[in-house]
Amino acid sequence: MKINKYNSLVFAILFGFGLSAQAQSQTQSKQWTLEECVRYALDNNITIKLSELDVKNAAIDKKGALGNFLPSVNANASHSWNVGLNQNITTGLLENQTTQYSSVGASVGVDIYKGLQNQNTLRRTKLSIVASQYQLLKMQEDISLNVANAFLEILFNKENLKVKKEQLSIDQKRLARSEEMVNAGTIPRGDLYDLKATAATDQQAIIVAENTLLISKLSLAQLLQLKEFADFDVIDDTNAKDENNILAQTPFDIYNKAKEIRTELKLAQTNLEIAEKNVVIARGAYQPTLSAFYNFNTRASYSDIVTGTTLNTVNPASQIGYVQGTNQPVLRDNYSSVLGSAAPIFDQFNDNKGQSFGFQLSVPIFNGFSVRNNVERSKVTLEKSKIDLEQKSLDLQRNVYTAFTDAKGALNAYESSTVTLEARQQAYNYAKEKYDVGLMNSFDFTQAQTLLTNAQSDVIRTKYDYIFKIKILEFYFGIPIIPIITK
């Protein structure tokens, strides 16, 4: 019952996967080559697109660093209403009134010397662009290897499914032949039951192999970011030969070549140079800064202004003292201000212009150890970058020697499995001849057949394992799966 439930579940998955394919025409769907898969992934993979955006961000940071050399220019304008008890600018007295004012201004500032921080920041942003490009290239290389691995996994699963189906076909023919032999009394009926069980096992193996193939196709389709993958399939354009004769190289030679071309080392070296620039920039904060500035402002009022004076007829004079000795009062004429409308606003702006300019020198004396801490922190980052570069070099050496050993081992395993398959095929043919004439029971014959099936599977597995190991070794030697063109 468990087997039936499992079969039903797998059948439902496979049926759902094939619904859209059945709805289309019966023309053969496109089969992707390895190169097509890699190129499509490089153009559409989300991770690569994110890395491309990081390159754009680095370019924007460079524009910001260039902007530090340019002066800063700002303009401002305001209009205000003062309501309530305010000083009358005409009489100088506090009065309940509403007054309006407008003001306009502009300011310009430019750094003349800032401890060479602007220059070093620009150099750092250039290095950051290089680092982001290396990071993008590394991501493209990693995706290429992942696609190649997923591609070869599909090919292996297709070959494995083909073997399972061929095995089922053979067992079904033997089952039909055995039924005739049982009816003729040549072999016991128990052998027939063993063959039925073997055929049922073959059918289960086919279902498992189909499910594995389906999952491997889904994995590659996700790497390619395919939206429609119901008909997705690949074609075997690989060659299980060392066409570039990479195994003729020594691990030492491959490692020396990898040190010159591998992206992870270039990225680590660039990050080290960025860390060195960060130390220089942090130290620049110890130095004084000199800047120049220029300010312009003007204003206008909407209140009445004094246009003249006239004698006060109500109180024409007022005593301001007396003559000593005669006590004769000393009088002063009282005048009243004659108010008029405010001058036109643009005339006021022109009359009330004010400017200021100069230099500003700032010398850091004590800032709570902030500058010192930034320098120490950047030094720690620099040491980490040095260690990271050293670690990347050691990892590369280990990976190259491991890849070379794996490729050698994969080749030996592939060659051994091929020899084993030839021997198992001969043994199976001999067992079949004995079984057909009744000189071998079904159990022993099934064992010979199982050994042949295992040998066929081993050849397929070791073949694609060898192809992938060669791809990795070529990768370290600078031979890409496809040429990557940086944008």
Side-chain angles (χ1 to χ4, degrees):
M1 293 298 293
K2 292 183 178 179
I3 293 178
N4 291 335
K5 290 181 179 179
Y6 175 79
N7 292 348
S8 299
L9 177 61
V10 174
F11 176 77
I13 295 174
L14 296 176
F15 179 76
F17 179 77
L19 280 178
S20 57
Q22 294 176 1
Q24 298 178 0
S25 63
Q26 296 180 354
T27 58
Q28 186 177 8
S29 60
K30 171 181 172 59
Q31 289 185 311
W32 295 60
T33 64
L34 176 58
E35 181 176 349
E36 289 174 338
C37 289
V38 173
R39 290 195 182 280
Y40 191 89
L42 294 180
D43 292 336
N44 297 276
N45 186 268
I46 292 178
T47 307
I48 292 179
K49 290 182 177 180
L50 291 176
S51 296
E52 290 174 347
L53 293 178
D54 290 337
V55 175
K56 293 182 178 180
N57 276 335
I60 294 173
D61 291 338
K62 180 184 176 182
K63 293 180 181 179
L66 287 172
N68 292 334
F69 292 94
L70 303 176
S72 60
V73 181
N74 297 286
N76 61 80
S78 66
H79 184 88
S80 61
W81 288 264
N82 295 328
V83 180
L85 190 63
N86 296 291
Q87 185 180 24
N88 190 320
I89 62 173
T90 302
T91 63
L93 301 177
L94 293 175
E95 301 177 4
N96 283 316
Q97 60 180 341
T98 298
T99 58
Q100 299 183 55
Y101 300 92
S102 294
S103 63
V104 178
S107 63
V108 179
V110 62
D111 291 329
I112 299 176
Y113 182 78
K114 199 177 179 181
L116 300 179
Q117 287 181 313
N118 291 341
Q119 291 86 343
N120 289 316
T121 299
L122 177 60
R123 297 187 183 102
R124 183 187 63 185
T125 56
K126 292 180 179 178
L127 290 172
S128 297
I129 292 177
V130 175
S132 62
Q133 290 172 341
Y134 282 144
Q135 184 62 44
L136 172 60
L137 180 58
K138 183 178 182 300
M139 188 62 61
Q140 291 173 331
E141 292 171 343
D142 292 343
I143 292 297
S144 297
L145 277 181
N146 292 336
V147 169
N149 187 30
F151 185 90
L152 295 175
E153 186 71 19
I154 292 177
L155 295 182
F156 165 73
N157 291 329
K158 290 178 67 174
E159 291 290 333
N160 186 53
L161 177 59
K162 181 180 178 181
V163 170
K164 302 298 183 185
K165 289 182 176 180
E166 290 177 352
Q167 188 62 48
L168 175 60
S169 177
I170 293 173
D171 288 340
Q172 287 176 339
K173 292 178 181 179
R174 279 203 305 121
L175 179 59
R177 172 62 177 164
S178 298
E179 289 179 347
E180 295 177 357
M181 296 175 68
V182 168
N183 295 332
T186 306
I187 61 173
R189 185 168 295 274
D191 291 351
L192 180 62
Y193 296 146
D194 289 338
L195 291 176
K196 288 184 177 180
T198 301
T201 302
D202 291 342
Q203 290 177 340
Q204 295 178 22
I206 289 176
I207 293 176
V208 173
E210 289 175 341
N211 189 41
T212 304
L213 176 59
L214 170 61
I215 293 175
S216 62
K217 287 183 178 181
L218 290 176
S219 298
L220 181 55
Q222 288 181 343
L223 275 176
L224 303 183
Q225 305 297 326
L226 291 178
K227 297 180 180 179
E228 299 293 337
F229 49 81
D231 291 330
F232 177 72
D233 197 6
V234 300
I235 186 172
D236 187 0
D237 61 342
T238 58
N239 190 354
K241 293 182 180 180
D242 186 6
E243 296 179 345
N244 295 304
N245 203 22
I246 190 67
L247 290 177
Q249 305 289 334
T250 65
F252 182 76
D253 293 335
I254 297 176
Y255 172 63
N256 287 334
K257 182 68 175 295
K259 285 196 301 183
E260 299 175 359
I261 63 174
R262 285 308 308 138
T263 306
E264 56 265 30
L265 286 187
K266 293 180 180 179
L267 177 59
Q269 179 63 41
T270 306
N271 287 334
L272 175 61
E273 295 175 5
I274 291 175
E276 291 174 344
K277 287 299 177 186
N278 285 332
V279 173
V280 176
I281 293 172
R283 285 175 175 169
Y286 282 124
Q287 302 184 32
T289 60
L290 178 64
S291 60
F293 64 88
Y294 171 81
N295 295 310
F296 169 83
N297 61 81
T298 185
R299 63 191 182 279
S301 172
Y302 299 87
S303 302
D304 293 339
I305 61 175
V306 178
T307 59
T309 59
T310 184
L311 186 66
N312 191 334
T313 57
V314 178
N315 185 16
S318 59
Q319 182 178 345
I320 60 174
Y322 59 91
V323 179
Q324 187 176 4
T326 63
N327 291 329
Q328 183 179 0
V330 178
L331 302 178
R332 181 191 68 179
D333 292 337
N334 290 331
Y335 292 92
S336 298
S337 299
V338 178
L339 301 179
S341 300
I345 184 170
F346 289 106
D347 291 344
Q348 293 189 58
F349 282 153
N350 185 58
D351 295 338
N352 296 331
K353 290 185 296 185
Q355 304 178 59
S356 65
F357 54 88
F359 298 95
Q360 180 176 351
L361 178 66
S362 176
V363 180
I365 298 176
F366 182 76
N367 295 290
F369 302 109
S370 61
V371 176
R372 177 183 176 185
N373 291 336
N374 287 336
V375 173
E376 294 299 323
R377 190 178 295 110
S378 60
K379 287 181 178 179
V380 172
T381 304
L382 175 60
E383 291 300 318
K384 291 174 63 177
S385 298
K386 291 180 180 179
I387 294 174
D388 181 65
L389 176 59
E390 183 179 358
Q391 184 63 53
K392 287 291 192 300
S393 180
L394 293 175
D395 291 343
L396 179 62
Q397 185 181 32
R398 183 183 67 252
N399 292 337
V400 167
Y401 277 80
T402 300
F404 186 85
T405 303
D406 290 344
K408 278 282 191 181
L411 175 59
N412 294 333
Y414 176 54
E415 292 175 345
S416 298
S417 63
T418 303
V419 174
T420 301
L421 177 59
E422 293 177 356
R424 292 298 182 192
Q425 184 66 54
Q426 294 176 359
Y428 171 77
N429 293 338
Y430 180 68
K432 184 175 182 300
E433 292 176 359
K434 293 177 64 177
Y435 179 78
D436 289 341
V437 297
L439 297 179
M440 178 180 287
N441 58 38
S442 62
F443 177 79
D444 292 336
F445 181 71
T446 301
Q447 290 298 315
Q449 185 179 12
T450 301
L451 293 174
L452 174 61
T453 302
N454 293 338
Q456 291 172 333
S457 298
D458 286 341
V459 169
I460 297 171
R461 177 182 57 80
T462 55
K463 171 187 174 182
Y464 290 110
D465 182 61
Y466 167 65
I467 293 175
F468 184 65
K469 296 296 173 55
I470 287 294
K471 292 291 184 184
I472 293 178
L473 199 58
E474 291 176 345
F475 170 76
Y476 286 119
F477 198 65
I479 303 175
I481 297 175
I482 65 169
I484 298 177
I485 301 176
T486 57
K487 298 180 181 180

